[in-house]
Amino acid sequence: MATPIGNLRDISLRALDVLKSADAIAAEDTRITRRLLDHYGIPKRLIAVHEHNERRAVKQALALLGAGRSLALVCDAGTPAISDPGAVLVSAVRDAGYSVTPVPGANAAVTALAAAGLETPHFLFFGFLPSKGGARRRALAALAALPYTLVFYEAPHRIAECLHDMSEVLGAARRVVIARELTKAFESIHVCTLALAPQWVEADANRRRGEFVLLVEGAAALTEDSSEGRRTLEVLLAELPVKQAVDLTVKLTGGRRNELYKLALTLKGHGK
Ligand code: SAM
């Protein structure tokens, strides 16, 4: 079941009912879940299930369920099994013949997507990229041609280098949404091109603090425009102001004005 990703009030009435009625709660870091339970006045037995003991914890969980008890599974924040432990336990419990009931709620990726304003209907959730530069760039290269919004989780100490690599491998013209500290006091959502993103986070230490979701515009938006429209726009932008270049490109190619205008701003280096 899902728990909040920051704001403790982002929890459903049903989730609270389940936390209250479960015989035990399987939690990633029991101290963090204890804080949530204390906030809502729910005293409950906690079992630790983290990435290093998930298989061992299965035995404990099955023993409990075998004794006719119920168990709720949570992670530190958000939805279990999404860049978090949970899948091993869920699968083992179901294989043992018990039912598994999802209780939906907060998830950082979906929360960021809702506020991103990226118009593509499809997205690919990647989660964390490899922490080492070479492996990260290889992983990005494998995603570069996909026509979907790409959704990443990233740690604060790697945010700048990650944005540098994204700009290099995915292309500097793509838009990126940097969603930081969602639902918390210092929430910020910044949209710019990948070309400008590294310098934006480097300009202020506060912009590198907290938790991040990065959403990068998919390749489709660019390839659509990269054909006739993009080429025409590039030639005209070299000679004319943005508005005139866009007007003429619309007339010449029949392309969509909004898309071409956005692309023109990006090509000029001051896209949103
Ligand atoms: N299971 C969680 C979920 O459903 O979103 C994700 C857990 S993952 C270990 C933690 C990562 O999620 C963070 O490093 C960050 O990238 C992202 N994240 C979690 N909470 C966030 C928030 N409030 N704002 C932005 N990103 C967040």
Side-chain angles (χ1 to χ4, degrees):
M1 58 179 290
T3 56
I5 56 167
N7 188 323
L8 289 186
R9 292 178 66 75
D10 288 334
I11 188 159
S12 73
L13 297 175
R14 181 170 167 233
L16 288 174
D17 287 345
V18 171
L19 287 174
K20 281 179 199 153
S21 65
D23 292 308
I25 298 170
E28 199 185 347
D29 181 336
T30 53
R31 290 161 305 179
I32 291 177
T33 298
R34 184 68 69 199
R35 278 205 287 277
L36 175 72
L37 296 179
D38 286 349
H39 181 83
Y40 285 103
I42 304 172
K44 196 64 60 169
R45 178 179 163 201
L46 292 174
I47 297 172
V49 183
H50 41 78
E51 71 177 306
H52 305 296
N53 81 340
E54 198 171 355
R55 285 175 202 282
R56 217 174 335 125
V58 164
K59 275 196 192 142
Q60 226 182 328
L62 291 180
L64 208 117
L65 295 170
R69 305 246 187 269
S70 63
L71 181 67
L73 167 68
V74 300
C75 55
D76 288 351
T79 303
I82 310 296
S83 296
D84 260 335
V88 171
L89 182 64
V90 163
S91 166
V93 162
R94 182 177 292 113
D95 286 352
Y98 300 102
S99 64
V100 176
T101 307
V103 181
N107 165 254
V110 171
T111 305
L113 276 161
L118 295 172
E119 284 165 43
T120 47
H122 311 292
F123 69 89
L124 182 136
F125 173 71
F126 191 88
F128 289 99
L129 284 159
S131 54
K132 300 242 163 64
R136 180 168 55 231
R137 286 190 289 277
R138 280 193 295 281
L140 286 168
L143 302 170
L146 296 177
Y148 316 122
T149 294
L150 303 172
V151 185
F152 302 95
Y153 287 163
E154 193 49 277
H157 58 281
R158 276 196 290 271
I159 199 76
E161 57 185 274
C162 177
L163 288 166
H164 271 291
D165 285 348
M166 285 177 168
S167 178
E168 223 169 80
V169 180
L170 299 177
R174 290 199 202 191
R175 272 187 304 164
V176 60
V177 179
I178 304 171
R180 189 174 74 86
E181 292 290 87
L182 294 166
T183 78
K184 302 187 199 177
F186 295 104
E187 175 179 280
S188 83
I189 298 169
H190 180 74
V191 187
C192 61
T193 58
L194 277 173
L196 301 176
Q199 70 200 56
W200 186 80
V201 296
E202 276 158 0
D204 180 346
N206 286 325
R207 295 177 184 166
R208 299 190 296 277
R209 293 213 169 97
E211 299 194 278
F212 290 86
V213 182
L214 300 175
L215 303 105
V216 182
E217 191 173 33
L222 296 178
T223 47
E224 226 173 75
D225 297 319
S226 73
S227 53
E228 206 191 342
R230 188 185 180 115
R231 275 198 305 278
T232 309
L233 196 54
E234 278 170 345
V235 172
L236 294 175
L237 276 174
E239 308 292 332
L240 298 169
V242 169
K243 188 179 174 309
Q244 243 178 306
V246 170
D247 285 348
L248 274 175
T249 307
V250 171
K251 276 187 197 149
L252 289 167
T253 67
R256 281 174 295 175
R257 179 179 301 279
N258 280 355
E259 289 301 313
L260 288 167
Y261 192 73
K262 261 192 256 169
L263 182 62
L265 292 181
T266 304
L267 292 170
K268 279 280 188 189
H270 40 77
K272 266 204 307 159

